Amino acid sequence: MVLGVDVGGTFTDAVLLTDGRVVTAKAPTTAADQSDGVLAAVETALERAGTTAGEVDRFVHGMTVGTNALLEGKVAATALLASEGFTDLEELGRQARAELYRLCAGHPPPLVPPGLRVGVRERMGPEGVLRPLDERALYGSIRALSHSEGVEAFAVCLLWGFRHPEHERRAAAILEEEVPDAHVSTSHETAGVFREYERAATTIVDAALSPLLRRYLERLGERARDLGLPNPEVMLSGGGVADAGTAARHGSWTVLSGPAGGSVGAARMAERSGAPDAVCLDMGGTSCDVSLAEAGSVKRTGGREVGGRALALPMVDVHTVGAGGGSVAWADAGGALRVGPRSAGADPGPACYGRGGFEPTVTDANLVLGYLDRGSPLAGGVELDLGAARRALADLGGRLELELEAVAAGIARVASAEMARAVRVVTVERGIDPRDLALVAFGGAGPLHAAAIADELGMRRIVVPRASGVLSALGLVAGERRRDLVESVLLAGGDLTEEAVGASVARLAARGREELHAPEAEVRASYDLRYAGQAFELTIAEAPEPDPGRLRRAFESAHEERYGYADSHADLELVTVRVTVAEPAADLIPGNDGAAAEETTRSALFDGRRMEAKVLGGAISRVSGPAICELPEATLVVPPGWSGGADVDGTIVLERG
Amino acid sequence: MDAVSLQVMVGALRAACDEMGVVLVRSAHSANVKERRDASTALFDPDGQMVMQAEHIPVHLGAMPSAVAAVVGEDHSSGDAWVLNDPYRGGTHLPDITVISPVLSGAELVGFAASRAHHADVGGATPGSMPADSRVLDDEGVVIPPTRLARAGRLDEELLHDLTGGMRAPAQRRADLRAQLAANRTGGMRLKELAARSGLGALGEAMRETLDYGERRTRARIAQLPDGDRDARDVLEAGEHDLPLRLTASVGGEGLLLDFTGSADQHDGNLNCPLAVTLSACYFAVRVLTDPDVPPSAGAYRPVRVIAPEGSLLNARPPAAVAAGNVETSSRVADLVLGAFGQALGQGTMNNLTLGNDDFTYYETLAGGQGACADADGPSAVHVAMSNTLNTPIEALELEFPLRAVEYSVRRGSGGAGEHRGGNGVVRELEALGRHALFADHRTPPARTSEPRGGPGERGRNVLNGVELPGKVDGELAPGDRMRIETPGGGGQEVDMAEVERVERVFLGLGIMGARMAANLCRAGFEVTAWNRTRARAEGLAEAHGARGPRHPPRRQATRGDDHDGRGRSAGRGCSSARTARRGPRRGRARADMSTIAPTASRAIADRPRRAPGRLPGRARDRLAPEGRGRHAHRHGRWRASRPSSSLDRCSPPWESSSCTSAAGATVR
């Protein structure tokens, strides 16, 4: 029996997979200590399943402890050791201002204040030592710092440390000697990549989050043990799973733990339904996360920004836009109807929640359109108030000179267009044609808009898992145990040989297998390559001992595909070697929840026309639009022209007729 | 077109431009485009009006339309492309090369796709094509008048080689130009798809609507700026003599006139701007001052009229040299416009730095301090005004160039003082490992020229081996030489008393405190509008002190009694009954809510603004509590804000200056 628990903004979801049965439970998220909500959801799930904690084999956790701490800036007091003359890297960033036309919009404040930045007298260059490490001076500054109250963590980021880590290692050893209780993150270990700002920012985030994560995971582990559960495993930002101890040592690895679970779950469910290549779209109350699945696994990126801070780590490549069920619709000064990014959130929430919200939201529009009704299964079992929704929309309609239903349809359309744009970012803008892909829609609101988004992009297939309301929790148990390792090598010309590359891969693979305690674990390699002089790299998956000729051909065909040209004369440069060491996850067999089929009808608006739509609940076999499918925690809208049915997993697959 | 289709079309056009930008940035070869993203992409209607532009770099805002205007009258067929960089025929300065592709659906012209990139070198006297001492345009590199680069899908390879032959690193130039062509192809494809989906006529209408939409949004914001003229002056240092810059900015209703008459004539250096550059700077500043999120289109700038006399520095005639006009003068033009509207000045330069020899060229613009805003500190270490490019990482710099970095840090203390501080500049010190030509250029206004309301930022410094050099340096570095650049800080900002003057003071309820306080304010010379349920009381105040009676009596909203008859009822309740109480003040207005309670209680309220919001008078989020009580309150004049709030900062000075307190709603424009 496996248990997945995902902590969301409003609710904590638990999914228990047992003998082909899926048991789900929800509990309110507890912000002060997420483990309260986790335990509450677990207990409910166990009770519903009529089983005990002792029966659970694996307990996988997706959390937002690190994300929230980062976004709110509530992190451990952290000091930075950096090459002398370069202690301000985090504050300098890449010198671009946060917003082009808002002059005083700032970047988030640096996590390490100026007083805790220490210049280390040393210097490495591209070829090695330029100035030896002055250890005496370093001892002195560390002692001076340890007098400042409460420094819990140290980040060590020296120039060229990714290539010549000797000084970083020595500095870490001295720290361990002098301040044995403090956490230490070094840049070559945390993010061994070229370019100092991204590496420094990542190392600082790692150091600043690690003490918090350790405390949280230790507490959760204790409470799990008291209950009789196995020690928790944690979903990492890259979609792999690690034991709690590893996650606690690397605070930066779980920053996207939450979205990673959803992406992994969606990718696996789509693959099981015969759609290994898919766009995964998770729409909740405040935002919409879009990611890509290729051959059944989530597409990842080597780095991105989270909350305005650079993180140079393997992460699921999730693009987020501010369009959710709670997004507020408004009329702008030019007379256009806009949706979001402001959200009514969960409190007061959409007008139809009846909690004091009076602004029209996407959920209110879906209610007026008839896609939702009073008893629709939205998170938290709120009863929806149609009158309140109509009042909120009528007010906006008055300003835009649109009838009530036109406003509702307009809000849904603008929200769908917004999400379609997000899908374009992860597909079209990366040279991928979305029309060849299926759309996996999940989250409380995703299936409501799936068909509209697919139509906007010319996509012809939609996949909606039955558990789409809790897919993030389901995805947790589908993640493989994995370590991702990275090393920038900067090899070009005659240095770019099979031996040199193979040695780097072997080094990383050995480290990964050791850390995973899995000597036989599978090794996958990929390579960040560029033409000399380019500033972006393309990541190419190839064999662990790649022949440089093959590497070049693979790079050129990828370059051609993405950018429309290749240059067979230009010098090729291997910037970074990426190695993944993984043990496959158990197959995800969600099974069925055994609900009986139900069928009613209600009036809903499609393409400007009121129609009587079938409303299907419980076990759904065939469906053709106009119809509405009530899933356990989500509602799927099937407009005319779309039809399909459920497969053995209960996943509904729709095709454009 | 309805509100929904309009928004969907705006989104589709924006997505198309963004996608063009992605193709361009990612497929170019030069660091300048790829890493620094010194490039722009845009779509135009068949008349050459820009309907949408991708947001990369503000300096191209006004300049893209001039480029398309230069070829719109030619005959176009599918697969054609034009190239140009002539500043006097659609360009800005020579390194910015624009490629324009007409988009046709069948035989019908649908519009144009255009892309512009700053090429790292286009020939000329010095590497980087930004010579410090150019006198005429030809000194600055290869001048490309509007030229057909491709015909019916066939690229003119011979022409391409001829054009790039006079530039350094021609292969990289060609690669970047091909990237621009690829970007245009993408834009063309998307435009044709839109035409196919909705029909040509509908697309044309949608483009017109998009332009009108941008215009409406800008007009709505200009209408909120107070009418009237504002002057701003600055001087641009140009060797022996300074060049005066002059602006009269006039707001009249929904229109804005920016008149640079009186600015210096064009000079024989290279600080001259073709009109397109001046327009870019003006459009940038207007967008900052009005609607920062308006989709960039020709429509958004229709309400703005710019006058720059021909032959002046800001509308130069050929063959004047223009290399530094685009990078330096344009920043100062933007500052001039922003300064006229009260924004503290930023670093006022892009700190151009070029190093190079026959083997390499390193060009970069450095961050500095942003000027403080009326409600916030200026950010440190960012690009200010017209540039917003990424830096060259130290490790990339040391890998690719014979240079070593000695220091890269925040220049502490360089931001100007004030209630809101200016941002700090940066320090970047490089050591030459080989022999390089050097060109560094930054300027800083010697003193703030708009009305000073805060401390100025520190000036920029160029220091070679410990010896300070002038702002503009041209020379050579030997191995071991250390060039240190300290970039300027931004100006600080004090609370703007002129803004305070514009505060409209409305009293709701003339009770024990209110009557006295309103009287004090009237005596202090402020204009006061007063309302009281017992009308006679307001009229009495008007008679005695010249207060205005209520123009819009809030009687309709006054649902509860608020008779301030001295029976100890909270004056705050008077406020709570007013319209502003239920939903808060209207956008752009703040409400200061005050009540007659003991100082200790008022402090407690100020310290706990949100704990029991329903029980607090009026549920106002921003709250001023007087440190005084009842009939004596007006003598104190000390105030505590419930939380830091710029709007309260703006309305508290008049209360303090008149030492009075009462129940009042203050609205701030």
Side-chain angles (χ1 to χ4, degrees):
Chain A
M1 195 175 346
V2 281
L3 171 68
V5 184
D6 176 60
V7 180
T10 318
F11 290 99
T12 297
D13 297 336
V15 167
L16 199 60
L17 282 190
T18 166
D19 307 327
R21 222 153 55 89
V22 185
V23 179
T24 64
K26 270 183 189 297
T29 292
T30 46
D33 180 353
Q34 292 192 357
S35 67
D36 291 340
V38 170
L39 270 289
V42 169
E43 281 170 4
T44 312
L46 290 173
E47 199 182 293
R48 279 193 193 158
T51 184
T52 60
E55 301 293 312
V56 176
D57 304 310
R58 280 181 75 202
F59 166 30
V60 190
H61 183 33
M63 59 186 187
T64 52
V65 176
T67 330
N68 293 349
L70 195 61
L71 295 180
E72 292 162 18
K74 291 178 185 159
V75 297
T78 306
L80 168 73
L81 268 52
S83 306
E84 194 174 55
F86 302 90
T87 50
D88 292 336
L89 290 177
E90 185 197 10
E91 187 174 348
L92 289 163
R94 292 297 297 274
Q95 90 179 6
R97 59 181 180 269
E99 290 191 47
L100 269 183
Y101 301 99
R102 285 191 173 82
L103 300 184
C104 287
H107 294 284
L111 294 174
V112 180
L116 294 181
R117 301 173 197 168
V118 176
V120 181
R121 291 186 196 162
E122 66 82 44
R123 185 68 150 82
M124 290 286 185
E127 309 307 329
V129 182
L130 297 174
R131 179 190 185 187
L133 176 67
D134 182 342
E135 296 198 3
R136 269 190 52 177
L138 182 56
Y139 273 106
S141 7
I142 291 171
R143 277 175 202 151
L145 249 193
S146 51
H147 294 306
S148 10
E149 288 287 299
V151 173
E152 280 192 273
F154 287 83
V156 182
C157 181
L158 306 179
L159 286 178
W160 293 97
F162 68 98
R163 193 182 226 188
H164 303 291
E166 296 80 8
H167 288 173
E168 285 196 356
R169 285 204 188 109
R170 188 61 200 129
I174 293 173
L175 280 170
E176 252 145 61
E177 206 178 294
E178 290 293 311
V179 270
D181 294 335
H183 172 90
V184 178
S185 296
T186 57
S187 86
H188 72 277
E189 238 189 332
T190 306
V193 293
F194 176 52
R195 295 186 188 105
E196 68 281 354
Y197 162 66
E198 287 78 2
R199 197 170 71 249
T202 310
T203 310
I204 289 168
V205 167
D206 195 71
L209 292 183
S210 292
L212 310 181
L213 287 182
R214 197 189 64 226
R215 281 195 286 274
Y216 170 71
L217 288 170
E218 278 175 1
R219 194 167 54 242
L220 179 68
E222 270 168 36
R223 298 183 69 172
R225 262 194 309 283
D226 290 348
L227 200 69
L229 286 172
N231 220 3
E233 297 167 74
V234 177
M235 175 59 75
L236 305 179
S237 310
V241 167
D243 61 80
T246 307
R249 278 192 299 280
H250 298 281
S252 60
W253 289 3
T254 47
V255 168
L256 291 187
S257 172
S263 310
V264 169
R268 292 294 292 275
M269 292 305 291
E271 188 184 25
R272 287 182 57 84
S273 297
D277 300 315
V279 172
C280 308
L281 184 134
D282 178 2
M283 182 180 176
T286 54
S287 65
C288 172
D289 292 337
V290 184
S291 61
L292 209 61
E294 285 177 336
S297 40
V298 187
K299 193 158 162 56
R300 297 186 299 159
T301 169
R304 55 168 285 182
E305 274 193 5
V306 177
R309 302 181 198 277
L311 281 179
L313 290 168
M315 285 179 278
V316 289
D317 195 358
V318 177
H319 179 69
T320 302
V321 289
S327 291
V328 173
W330 51 290
D332 73 16
L337 171 63
R338 308 273 293 275
V339 175
R342 208 163 57 76
S343 170
D347 195 17
C352 62
Y353 279 19
R355 289 185 192 141
F358 59 85
E359 293 176 296
T361 66
V362 173
T363 299
D364 294 311
N366 281 316
L367 183 60
V368 170
L369 290 170
Y371 299 159
L372 295 173
D373 84 347
R374 200 179 329 144
S376 284
L378 275 184
V382 190
E383 180 144 320
L384 303 180
D385 178 351
L386 178 62
R390 293 176 69 101
R391 278 192 297 279
L393 260 60
D395 201 29
L396 178 64
R399 264 170 288 159
L400 292 170
E401 294 170 12
L402 288 172
E403 297 293 317
L404 181 71
E405 291 193 335
V407 179
I411 292 172
R413 182 155 172 231
V414 170
S416 297
E418 197 67 26
M419 287 182 278
R421 229 171 96 190
V423 173
R424 268 195 202 100
V425 169
V426 304
T427 57
V428 177
E429 292 191 3
R430 292 166 199 189
I432 296 162
D433 190 340
R435 288 171 300 188
D436 303 336
L437 308 176
L439 179 67
V440 194
F442 61 107
L448 282 167
H449 296 268
I453 296 165
D455 282 339
E456 175 88 24
L457 293 161
M459 299 170 78
R460 310 186 64 81
R461 195 174 200 201
I462 295 170
V463 176
V464 179
R466 184 155 178 78
S468 63
V470 293
L471 200 65
S472 294
L474 191 65
L476 294 172
V477 300
E480 54 189 12
R481 285 189 65 227
R482 184 161 81 199
R483 273 287 282 119
D484 295 302
L485 304 105
V486 172
E487 183 178 271
S488 279
V489 292
L490 296 170
L491 294 172
D495 296 333
L496 180 51
T497 62
E498 193 172 334
E499 291 71 37
V501 183
S504 168
V505 173
R507 201 161 48 238
L508 293 174
R511 204 174 107 198
R513 283 174 162 166
E514 192 190 316
E515 288 177 14
L516 210 57
H517 309 295
E520 300 298 317
E522 183 196 353
V523 173
R524 299 192 284 262
S526 56
Y527 306 91
D528 292 2
L529 292 150
R530 65 176 183 181
Y531 289 127
Q534 286 185 326
F536 284 99
E537 293 88 44
L538 278 182
T539 302
I540 307 292
E542 259 295 338
E545 286 110 30
D547 158 17
R550 246 182 90 164
L551 217 48
R552 177 164 197 122
R553 283 192 297 279
F555 170 75
E556 283 186 349
S557 81
H559 201 275
E560 173 88 48
E561 188 180 306
R562 189 118 145 211
Y563 306 133
Y565 79 95
D567 184 349
S568 50
H569 300 294
D571 284 335
L572 192 65
E573 193 169 13
L574 172 59
V575 176
T576 299
V577 173
R578 301 180 179 276
V579 166
T580 294
V581 178
E583 282 196 321
D587 201 8
L588 178 70
I589 305 170
N592 219 312
D593 51 15
E598 300 157 18
E599 189 176 324
T600 53
T601 63
R602 74 168 170 256
S603 153
L605 197 76
F606 292 96
D607 241 345
R609 285 173 44 216
R610 275 271 159 200
M611 296 183 183
E612 206 55 28
K614 271 188 195 163
V615 180
L616 306 174
I620 293 161
S621 50
R622 296 289 311 163
V623 56
S624 64
I628 291 159
C629 302
E630 305 271 19
L631 304 171
E633 274 97 10
T635 302
L636 167 65
V637 172
V638 187
W642 287 89
S643 60
D647 62 16
V648 286
D649 292 341
T651 301
I652 298 170
V653 180
L654 299 177
E655 309 261 355
R656 188 87 171 120
Chain B
M1 191 178 236
D2 68 75
V4 179
S5 315
L6 176 59
Q7 175 58 15
V8 170
M9 177 52 72
V10 167
L13 289 169
R14 184 175 262 183
C17 286
D18 285 349
E19 195 186 341
M20 288 173 73
V22 168
V23 170
L24 172 55
V25 167
R26 303 208 66 148
S27 55
H29 283 204
S30 70
N32 225 24
V33 178
K34 295 194 76 75
E35 188 125 24
R36 301 182 53 245
R37 302 182 186 198
D38 195 344
S40 288
T41 52
L43 290 170
F44 293 76
D45 74 4
D47 301 329
Q49 291 213 72
M50 186 173 83
V51 291
M52 194 63 69
Q53 182 179 24
E55 314 255 4
H56 291 132
I57 186 161
V59 76
H60 295 160
L61 270 183
M64 293 289 267
S66 334
V68 174
V71 302
V72 71
E74 305 286 340
D75 51 277
H76 301 290
S77 51
S78 197
D80 284 1
W82 296 81
V83 62
L84 63 86
N85 75 344
D86 184 343
Y88 299 107
R89 296 178 69 186
T92 46
H93 64 166
L94 297 179
D96 278 345
I97 304 182
T98 308
V99 176
I100 303 142
S101 308
V103 181
L104 288 93
S105 171
E108 195 77 32
L109 188 64
V110 183
F112 296 88
S115 57
R116 164 168 301 194
H118 183 123
H119 288 246
D121 190 290
V122 291
T126 52
S129 309
M130 304 278 283
D133 54 0
S134 51
R135 299 277 164 146
V136 291
L137 190 61
D138 282 331
D139 296 344
E140 297 178 340
V142 178
V143 182
I144 312 170
T147 308
R148 209 185 285 263
L149 181 64
R151 191 183 285 276
R154 283 181 68 90
L155 181 64
D156 189 338
E157 296 278 354
E158 200 176 323
L159 174 71
L160 187 60
H161 273 84
D162 283 353
L163 289 179
T164 55
M167 305 176 181
R168 296 171 187 86
Q172 198 182 57
R173 295 292 73 70
R174 287 195 287 275
D176 285 2
L177 284 167
R178 282 179 211 278
Q180 288 181 256
L181 284 165
N184 289 3
R185 263 198 302 280
T186 304
M189 228 151 63
R190 294 292 166 260
L191 214 48
K192 277 190 272 187
E193 279 168 17
L194 283 175
R197 199 193 279 196
S198 47
L200 267 184
L203 178 63
E205 196 209 328
M207 286 175 153
R208 276 191 299 280
E209 286 282 347
T210 304
L211 290 166
D212 293 347
Y213 167 67
E215 180 178 351
R216 285 195 297 271
R217 281 183 62 170
T218 304
R219 284 199 189 282
R221 290 296 184 88
I222 292 178
Q224 291 175 359
L225 297 173
D227 280 0
D229 290 357
R230 298 153 176 79
D231 287 325
R233 285 157 192 256
D234 195 2
V235 289
L236 193 57
E237 313 77 67
E240 299 86 65
H241 52 284
D242 291 342
L243 303 170
L245 295 177
R246 246 193 109 151
L247 165 68
T248 305
S250 319
V251 178
E254 298 178 350
L256 173 61
L257 172 68
L258 301 173
D259 185 351
F260 293 94
T261 304
S263 297
D265 288 342
Q266 68 185 64
H267 77 147
D268 58 0
N270 60 14
L271 285 162
N272 303 299
C273 294
L275 185 61
V277 170
T278 303
L279 291 177
S280 286
C282 291
Y283 293 166
F284 164 76
V286 168
R287 196 160 166 198
V288 167
L289 293 167
T290 57
D291 186 346
D293 299 319
V294 69
S297 71
Y301 305 112
R302 277 182 196 151
V304 184
R305 210 174 129 223
V306 176
I307 298 175
E310 212 188 328
S312 74
L313 191 71
L314 303 181
N315 184 5
R317 271 190 299 248
V322 298
N326 197 46
V327 289
E328 287 298 300
T329 315
S330 69
S331 290
R332 300 289 279 278
V333 171
D335 262 357
L336 208 57
V337 179
L338 292 168
F341 287 89
Q343 163 76 30
L345 300 185
Q347 66 166 339
T349 172
M350 293 187 194
N351 302 297
N352 296 275
L353 173 66
T354 310
L355 292 167
N357 54 32
D358 289 342
D359 300 325
F360 80 97
T361 306
Y362 159 70
Y363 166 71
E364 145 154 77
T365 53
L366 301 179
Q370 172 70 57
C373 296
D375 55 357
D377 289 350
S380 296
V382 290
H383 260 305
V384 170
M386 302 303 286
S387 177
N388 197 37
T389 53
L390 299 179
N391 68 359
T392 304
I394 298 296
E395 287 168 355
L397 177 98
E398 294 186 346
L399 184 71
E400 286 172 39
F401 307 113
L403 292 167
R404 180 171 302 149
V406 178
E407 182 177 344
Y408 182 34
S409 61
V410 174
R411 188 182 175 199
R412 305 255 165 235
S414 56
E419 202 135 327
H420 300 297
R421 293 196 56 91
N424 288 320
V426 306
V427 176
R428 193 140 158 126
E429 183 168 346
L430 301 175
E431 181 179 324
L433 302 180
R435 200 160 274 285
H436 309 308
L438 161 74
F439 169 50
D441 189 5
H442 67 70
R443 288 135 209 286
T444 313
R448 295 164 46 78
T449 46
S450 57
E451 192 178 321
R453 288 191 301 273
E458 291 284 324
R459 303 190 59 165
R461 296 176 76 220
N462 288 335
V463 181
L464 179 63
N465 299 325
V467 178
E468 184 159 356
L469 304 175
K472 187 162 158 178
V473 187
D474 198 358
E476 194 167 271
L477 293 186
D481 280 350
R482 289 184 169 190
M483 179 71 204
R484 179 183 177 89
I485 296 172
E486 299 179 3
T487 70
Q493 175 119 283
E494 298 295 353
V495 167
D496 183 349
M497 285 311 289
E499 191 74 10
V500 168
E501 295 297 320
R502 284 200 289 277
V503 171
E504 187 187 330
R505 282 152 295 269
V506 182
F507 277 75
L508 304 174
L510 299 169
I512 297 173
M513 282 168 68
R516 290 168 168 85
M517 181 178 176
N520 274 349
L521 277 174
C522 290
R523 277 194 288 268
F526 291 105
E527 197 171 287
V528 172
T529 304
W531 177 83
N532 198 64
R533 200 174 74 142
T534 316
R535 208 178 169 90
R537 209 179 274 218
E539 284 162 3
L541 184 78
E543 220 162 90
H545 300 288
R548 275 195 294 182
R551 281 166 302 170
H552 311 290
R555 184 178 297 276
R556 186 165 57 86
Q557 291 96 347
T559 53
R560 277 179 291 172
D562 52 343
D563 49 340
H564 303 278
D565 56 5
R567 281 182 301 173
R569 294 185 65 164
S570 159
R573 284 184 54 191
C575 293
S576 73
S577 64
R579 185 192 68 83
T580 51
R582 219 182 112 242
R583 289 200 176 171
R586 272 193 283 156
R587 183 187 290 274
R589 300 194 163 207
R591 175 154 157 268
D593 196 347
M594 306 157 200
S595 51
T596 45
I597 46 178
T600 46
S602 71
R603 266 197 298 276
I605 287 175
D607 291 341
R608 290 183 310 169
R610 305 262 232 150
R611 204 159 292 175
R615 297 180 64 87
L616 292 177
R619 284 203 247 168
R621 287 169 64 196
D622 293 333
R623 177 162 294 108
L624 285 177
E627 294 198 346
R629 174 171 197 176
R631 59 187 73 245
H632 308 296
H634 67 287
R635 297 193 189 133
H636 286 262
R638 280 216 307 276
W639 298 88
R640 286 171 65 98
S642 60
R643 58 180 186 138
S645 155
S646 61
S647 46
L648 287 191
D649 287 349
R650 287 158 73 195
C651 53
S652 49
W655 307 133
E656 289 182 6
S657 65
S658 57
S659 294
C660 47
T661 57
S662 177
T667 45
V668 181
R669 243 180 248 290

